[in-house]
Amino acid sequence: MTDPTDRVPDSELIHRAQVGETEAFDELMKRYNQAVYRLAYSMTRNHADAEDICQDTFIRAYRAIKRFDDRFRFYTWLHRICVNLCINLFRRRGRVRLTSLPGTEAGAEWADIADPREDAGAAELRRDLDRAIARLPDDQRAVFVLRVKEELSYGEISKLLGIPMGTVMSRLNRAREKLRELLRDYLPSRAS
Amino acid sequence: MSRDCRRVEGLLGRFVDGELDEQQAEWVGRHIDSCPGCRQKLAEFEAVDRLFREKDEPPRLAEEYWDWHRSQVWRAIRTVRRRQREGARTLRFTWMRAASVAAGAAVVLIAAIGGWRLLQRQVAVPVTVAEEPVERGAGEARVTSGGGRQAIAAGEPVAESKSADLSRQEHRSDKPAAGLARSADELKVETEVMADADGLPEAGAAADRQSTVETREKVAGRIAARGQAGTGEAEVFTAVQAPTAPGQAGVDSGLKKEGEQPAEVLTTCDRAPEVLEIGILPRVSPDETVTVFLRVLVEPDGSVSQVELEQASGTELLDSLAVLNVRQARFRAGYLGSEPARCWVRLVQQFDAEEPADSEQDNQ
């Protein structure tokens, strides 16, 4: 593993990618594809959509890299592209979502053999979390993911999704209330 | 619940997220210290967030996947670049395209004028045209030999047997355009060629006929295959669609099928099937979102062959509606490698709650 201090800074890679050096963009992709995939998966809750969105994010980033403003963080920019693609997908699909079946998830051939989550209890928890969040309407899930997993502020979410702050708050409240109901077994009991 | 508790409830999310101003946060903090109910709710909110922050992860994928993933991105980028290059080239030669379009238009115009003149001459030699069906040996065509003009006026194809070869009709309908630029003298020879229904002279027409035959065979094959398909699947379909027994029968049949999965059902498709088109479910409750989890078997041709209820909504009618909606949806098949394959996919069908118009502004 390379020493992180040896890492070429993002800004340099971006500059090189802007003048057409494909290796530089490839390196950026290596750095961020898992983070982008994680975000896409959190939003869509299925591998196929997450994979498509992750790929589209980098394709769009590559096409627009010359317009990238280096005052911003590269991941913030990718993040924005990815969220917009997710929102577009939700709009296109209406109220329909696809989720992978446990056996088909991510394609068995790509699954990491050394996955430590083989533990049955952990797998069950993950499945329950997956189901609970899949039950949220897309708009509530998007706000919840951006706040809780991506740790964006209300203002940032409001700007990113183009909705008023009050809407961010009410959607987040609804999402938390619903998740609280669905995950009651995993929450601290009243006695404690 | 006291008035303070209700107020705190509305602010709790913002308190957890650190989005309250100092004064409000202090007040909420004081209330929570003194109220076990609100303290419990706060603990639950924090626990929900913690669970998702720490335990909810996407599937962990092998390093090779990410190499493959990057290669896919590069492939797509190359395709886009190639298209852009082609687009640029096309733009450079716009003037050439304009010239060729103009030349094409001129040719069409000349052909149309020639054709019009030819048609007028054709009317002047009716016997030549009318006699051709006689040579084809059709009984009723002989009758027209004495009054060929009427036969033309009446529309000869109508006079032909209903079992007349489709390809001949197709060919005939193509002919006027092909013959427009030719002389009237050539017309007789040409109609003789037309009469040879089995020996279509043009490759294009032959291909058309071939494709028509192929399409028919495919459709016939599909119908036959459907007829031979297991009765179990047919039962599911019928039961689900029967409006008199909504949900119950279809759902039961679907569940019955679970134990008898065909051995060839793929469980590891590389790419899951995707919904291309599906109906929007109605909003059924003013305050509750109703969700139905379904398992759908999508065939390589994109058709749905089986729908199973994985998690019911608790309302049979809604389950049934969800199943029916999926049955009528259009899918893109899943893929195994580069081939479309038979894949299961889980589908979440949701009947959204009505959102009160003013609720979004409540917390503003």
Side-chain angles (χ1 to χ4, degrees):
Chain A
M1 205 175 189
T2 48
D3 184 348
T5 52
D6 291 345
R7 246 169 77 125
V8 180
D10 281 1
S11 54
E12 190 185 324
L13 289 173
I14 291 162
H15 177 71
R16 278 161 49 190
Q18 281 174 329
V19 294
E21 199 183 303
T22 50
E23 289 79 8
F25 190 79
D26 197 58
E27 178 58 32
L28 286 167
M29 237 192 312
K30 268 187 204 164
R31 284 183 190 180
Y32 292 107
N33 54 9
Q34 296 194 36
V36 172
Y37 174 82
R38 199 174 303 125
L39 170 62
Y41 187 87
S42 297
M43 297 280 269
T44 61
R45 307 312 296 186
N46 79 84
H47 171 74
D49 284 339
E51 180 178 284
D52 282 352
I53 283 174
C54 188
Q55 286 182 7
D56 277 359
T57 301
F58 284 105
I59 293 165
R60 283 174 190 233
Y62 182 83
R63 287 166 65 186
I65 189 89
K66 286 185 180 161
R67 296 197 298 272
F68 174 72
D69 184 342
D70 56 13
R71 284 174 302 175
F72 298 102
R73 277 180 60 217
F74 187 62
Y75 178 64
T76 311
W77 187 58
L78 288 177
H79 187 281
R80 180 179 285 252
I81 297 174
C82 179
V83 171
N84 284 333
L85 286 170
C86 291
I87 302 296
N88 288 346
L89 179 79
F90 296 156
R91 284 189 189 136
R92 216 168 46 238
R93 288 248 174 96
R95 294 185 178 86
V96 174
R97 291 191 305 274
L98 287 175
T99 56
S100 310
L101 290 174
T104 64
E105 204 170 68
E109 77 280 18
W110 295 122
D112 192 344
I113 307 291
D115 191 339
R117 292 171 304 183
E118 286 303 308
D119 175 332
E124 196 184 331
L125 168 62
R126 196 163 56 92
R127 199 167 48 246
D128 287 345
L129 292 178
D130 202 44
R131 283 198 170 178
I133 200 163
R135 282 190 160 213
L136 295 181
D138 292 329
D139 50 5
Q140 288 176 22
R141 190 171 59 251
V143 172
F144 181 79
V145 167
L146 292 175
R147 172 61 220 163
V148 174
K149 293 182 73 76
E150 297 297 312
E151 299 185 344
L152 298 191
S153 70
Y154 288 6
E156 286 168 321
I157 298 170
S158 152
K159 223 157 110 184
L160 193 60
L161 301 182
I163 52 175
M165 286 268 271
T167 309
V168 173
M169 292 171 203
S170 62
R171 285 185 186 173
L172 196 51
N173 255 354
R174 281 161 189 263
R176 279 189 171 127
E177 288 285 4
K178 180 116 192 172
L179 292 172
R180 195 169 70 105
E181 288 303 316
L182 294 169
L183 297 168
R184 192 153 284 286
D185 292 348
Y186 296 99
L187 302 182
S189 64
R190 286 187 179 272
S192 66
Chain B
M1 187 186 269
S2 73
R3 235 176 71 185
D4 280 356
C5 288
R6 269 196 296 275
R7 238 185 107 191
V8 165
E9 198 172 55
L11 297 170
L12 210 52
R14 289 158 72 186
F15 182 76
V16 172
D17 293 325
E19 294 266 353
L20 288 178
D21 62 43
E22 208 176 314
Q23 206 179 352
Q24 281 177 316
E26 215 178 289
W27 180 81
V28 172
R30 269 203 309 273
H31 175 84
I32 282 168
D33 284 344
S34 63
C35 173
C38 291
R39 199 160 52 242
Q40 172 67 20
K41 195 167 180 188
L42 173 69
E44 289 176 356
F45 266 24
E46 286 173 337
V48 165
D49 284 10
R50 206 166 38 246
L51 277 174
F52 280 99
R53 221 169 259 146
E54 294 169 6
K55 306 288 182 192
D56 176 47
E57 283 177 30
R60 188 170 294 196
L61 301 162
E63 276 304 311
E64 296 79 23
Y65 170 80
W66 296 109
D67 293 339
W68 173 84
H69 183 270
R70 288 203 320 281
S71 73
Q72 293 300 300
V73 172
W74 283 117
R75 210 169 76 173
I77 287 172
R78 276 197 298 274
T79 309
V80 171
R81 271 182 179 167
R82 198 173 52 240
R83 280 190 197 142
Q84 281 173 342
R85 272 202 303 272
E86 281 166 4
R89 210 175 300 143
T90 313
L91 230 105
R92 273 202 300 278
F93 293 105
T94 305
W95 65 271
M96 281 187 75
R97 284 175 64 203
S100 43
V101 168
V107 168
V108 169
L109 192 67
I110 290 165
I113 293 167
W116 174 249
R117 286 185 177 169
L118 190 64
L119 276 174
Q120 285 185 325
R121 280 156 79 183
Q122 186 181 338
V123 174
V125 283
V127 178
T128 314
V129 179
E131 275 178 359
E132 297 318 315
V134 181
E135 286 172 25
R136 263 179 255 151
E140 66 271 34
R142 275 187 199 283
V143 181
T144 64
S145 64
R149 187 155 192 153
Q150 284 92 330
I152 292 172
E156 194 171 86
V158 180
E160 286 186 4
S161 155
K162 279 183 183 174
S163 62
D165 189 341
L166 175 68
S167 57
R168 197 173 78 192
Q169 287 184 16
E170 283 168 355
H171 182 67
R172 180 177 279 208
S173 68
D174 288 347
K175 269 301 160 192
L180 283 176
R182 302 182 195 181
S183 73
D185 296 332
E186 284 177 290
L187 203 62
K188 186 174 176 186
V189 182
E190 200 176 287
T191 27
E192 277 170 4
V193 176
M194 280 169 67
D196 183 10
D198 292 322
L200 290 170
E202 289 174 11
D208 283 351
R209 190 178 57 164
Q210 182 63 24
S211 90
T212 309
V213 171
E214 277 172 11
T215 313
R216 278 185 198 151
E217 282 170 356
K218 273 183 197 164
V219 171
R222 216 175 291 156
I223 292 167
R226 200 172 284 175
Q228 288 161 6
T231 50
E233 290 186 19
E235 277 165 19
V236 175
F237 189 78
T238 316
V240 169
Q241 287 214 321
T244 47
Q248 187 64 51
V251 167
D252 284 348
S253 314
L255 290 175
K256 265 181 228 158
K257 292 291 291 178
E258 199 158 19
E260 46 184 87
Q261 288 301 322
E264 72 273 19
V265 169
L266 296 169
T267 54
T268 52
C269 284
D270 295 335
R271 188 190 177 91
E274 202 179 306
V275 175
L276 296 175
E277 199 178 308
I278 193 158
I280 296 174
L281 295 172
R283 292 172 184 265
V284 291
S285 161
D287 51 12
E288 198 192 354
T289 301
V290 180
T291 312
V292 183
F293 286 83
L294 299 165
R295 279 163 54 93
V296 183
L297 183 59
V298 181
E299 296 293 335
D301 64 359
S303 63
V304 173
S305 58
Q306 207 170 319
V307 181
E308 290 179 0
L309 189 63
E310 199 178 55
Q311 195 175 315
S313 65
T315 311
E316 282 172 10
L317 179 65
L318 296 185
D319 294 344
S320 169
L321 264 177
V323 171
L324 188 59
N325 198 35
V326 171
R327 281 273 179 203
Q328 292 172 343
R330 219 157 53 78
F331 283 78
R332 185 178 73 189
Y335 275 76
L336 185 64
S338 58
E339 293 294 317
R342 200 176 195 212
C343 303
W344 281 100
V345 68
R346 186 193 292 152
L347 198 68
V348 184
Q349 286 279 277
Q350 195 163 280
F351 300 81
D352 276 1
E354 287 284 1
E355 247 177 295
D358 56 345
S359 68
E360 304 286 9
Q361 309 302 321
D362 283 352
N363 295 315
Q364 273 189 30

